[in-house]
Amino acid sequence: MGLILKQLFSFIKLLNSDTGNISLALGMTCGFILGMTPVLSLHSLLIFLILFFFRIQIGAALVTAFFFKFVAFLLDPIFHYVGSQVLEMNSLRDTFTTLYNMPIVPYTRFNNSIVMGSAVVTILLSPFVYIASTIFIKKYRETVVARFKETKAWKALEATKFYQWYYKYDQYKWN
């Protein structure tokens, strides 16, 4: 239970930080992909490489993946059905045979119905997750954070010398 709370608090801390909306939304989308698809496959490695090479919030991706992993287990029957339908299409049979005989492609485990179904579903839903997470982040920052910054406790904290020192330090640290 402590791990879940720690992940949740770190996600809330990310939402309250000055991290850009796009970086957070991309992190949440990558976390959605990581959480909904099986971990031990080549496309998961590809998502991790994307996380490390581009300016995407890794913390948001890991927290989101943690929570979507639980949802994925509930959706496995749907993933199996979608994957079976895709893998059994006669028009794609020659393509799958060619892909399976390539050197690296079988490590994607595309011939597993759950892997194929989860990949298809996440590819189709990823743009919607990105848009929804962008809207969520903007609304959260406009309503919750703005209300919190107007409380007396926040204004009292801003008036302290420690906060002013930290604010100046944070400005110089990133320049």
Side-chain angles (χ1 to χ4, degrees):
M1 187 66 172
L3 178 65
I4 294 171
L5 288 175
K6 185 177 178 182
Q7 296 294 324
L8 185 62
F9 288 143
S10 66
F11 184 66
I12 291 171
K13 185 178 177 182
L14 279 171
L15 285 175
N16 292 330
S17 70
D18 290 334
T19 306
N21 294 347
I22 295 173
S23 177
L24 275 173
L26 286 173
M28 291 172 74
T29 305
C30 287
F32 168 73
I33 295 169
L34 285 173
M36 296 299 266
T37 57
V39 176
L40 298 175
S41 59
L42 197 59
H43 68 276
S44 295
L45 178 65
L46 178 68
I47 295 295
F48 276 115
L49 288 175
I50 289 170
L51 283 172
F52 288 120
F53 285 121
F54 296 103
R55 296 194 76 171
I56 297 174
Q57 184 50 253
I58 296 172
L62 295 178
V63 169
T64 308
F66 178 78
F67 288 110
F68 273 115
K69 194 51 83 176
F70 295 113
V71 176
F73 286 118
L74 298 174
L75 297 177
D76 274 350
I78 296 170
F79 294 156
H80 172 70
Y81 176 75
V82 171
S84 296
Q85 294 299 315
V86 171
L87 289 172
E88 292 173 2
M89 293 176 79
N90 288 329
S91 60
L92 295 174
R93 187 166 302 201
D94 292 334
T95 305
F96 290 144
T97 304
T98 305
L99 288 174
Y100 192 77
N101 290 324
M102 289 182 165
I104 296 176
V105 177
Y107 293 115
T108 61
R109 297 182 346 172
F110 73 90
N111 57 339
N112 184 326
S113 63
I114 293 177
V115 173
M116 177 61 80
S118 65
V120 168
V121 169
T122 56
I123 287 170
L124 293 175
L125 292 180
S126 290
F128 299 109
V129 169
Y130 173 75
I131 292 168
S133 60
T134 303
I135 292 169
F136 167 73
I137 292 166
K138 286 181 183 177
K139 291 292 183 186
Y140 176 82
R141 287 182 175 175
E142 288 172 359
T143 56
V144 176
V145 175
R147 284 184 188 167
F148 179 73
K149 287 188 176 183
E150 292 182 10
T151 62
K152 291 180 181 180
W154 178 256
K155 290 180 181 179
L157 179 67
E158 274 185 323
T160 63
K161 292 284 186 186
F162 176 75
Y163 179 81
Q164 292 170 0
W165 171 81
Y166 176 76
Y167 185 73
K168 285 182 183 178
Y169 172 76
D170 196 42
Q171 283 181 333
Y172 292 129
K173 183 173 69 170
W174 299 111
N175 290 334

